[in-house]
Amino acid sequence: SDPFELSRNGNTTELKKLLRSKPEMVDTVSAEGYTLLILAAYHGHNETVAFLADKVSDIDRGSGYGTALMGAAVKGNTEVAEILLDNGANPNAQDAEGNTPLTFAAMFENEEMARLLVTRKADPTLKNKKGFSAADYAKTHQNTVLSILFDK
């Protein structure tokens, strides 16, 4: 069984069996740099994320595309984001380009995700390498709801 396919497909039952016999695999990283948690979060498998979130050694471990929380933010999956945040994910973690989960929520104008992240202490003023913050993206998109949320 390929643990990456199990995570990508949300096959929690088989993943549990595999990790029971090989618990060290929980922190395995694919050739592309993805962890099991990142794959499960990005693909929206809530049950798999909940299973892995308290077992990984670093919930904020990133890939070239960011952390599991960033994957949830890109996809707009607030349930996965809540699971990750409840397990200690950093709402202000930055990827290689300096983007945060909140930056992605603002880029994609996902107001529900942005609201969740702000209530969990995400900073809308953190700038990425291009010099833009989540607040800047809200203004660029002329998204009044996000602008008001970020001004609080």
Side-chain angles (χ1 to χ4, degrees), residues 41-55:
Y42 183 79
H43 291 282
H45 300 300
N46 302 13
E47 182 184 354
T48 308
V49 170
F51 168 68
L52 293 169
D54 67 347
K55 291 169 185 56

Side-chain angles (χ1 to χ4, degrees), residues 16-152:
K16 283 179 181 180
K17 287 179 191 173
L18 179 62
L19 293 179
R20 216 175 287 124
S21 65
K22 297 178 181 177
E24 70 281 359
M25 290 188 83
V26 74
D27 288 316
T28 302
V29 179
S30 72
E32 298 83 21
Y34 300 117
T35 65
L36 302 178
L37 182 61
I38 289 170
L39 290 169
Y42 183 79
H43 291 282
H45 300 300
N46 302 13
E47 182 184 354
T48 308
V49 170
F51 168 68
L52 293 169
D54 67 347
K55 291 169 185 56
V56 295
S57 62
D58 181 3
I59 199 162
D60 292 317
R61 182 172 189 159
S63 69
Y65 295 102
T67 66
L69 184 56
M70 289 174 196
V74 165
K75 291 298 196 168
N77 190 326
T78 55
E79 288 179 41
V80 166
E82 281 192 80
I83 294 166
L84 295 166
L85 290 162
D86 287 347
N87 280 278
N90 179 358
N92 293 307
Q94 292 180 286
D95 68 9
E97 297 302 314
N99 296 307
T100 66
L102 190 58
T103 306
F104 290 117
M107 282 180 186
F108 294 108
E109 297 187 79
N110 187 317
E111 295 166 8
E112 183 182 3
M113 179 66 71
R115 196 171 290 107
L116 169 64
L117 292 167
V118 167
T119 63
R120 298 297 193 97
K121 309 293 184 225
D123 183 349
T125 65
L126 290 176
K127 298 209 179 268
N128 62 20
K129 288 185 177 179
K130 292 180 182 175
F132 291 100
S133 67
D136 295 328
Y137 284 108
K139 287 181 185 123
T140 299
H141 291 303
Q142 298 178 340
N143 187 310
T144 307
V145 172
L146 288 179
S147 293
I148 292 168
L149 177 66
F150 297 158
D151 281 344
K152 288 183 179 180

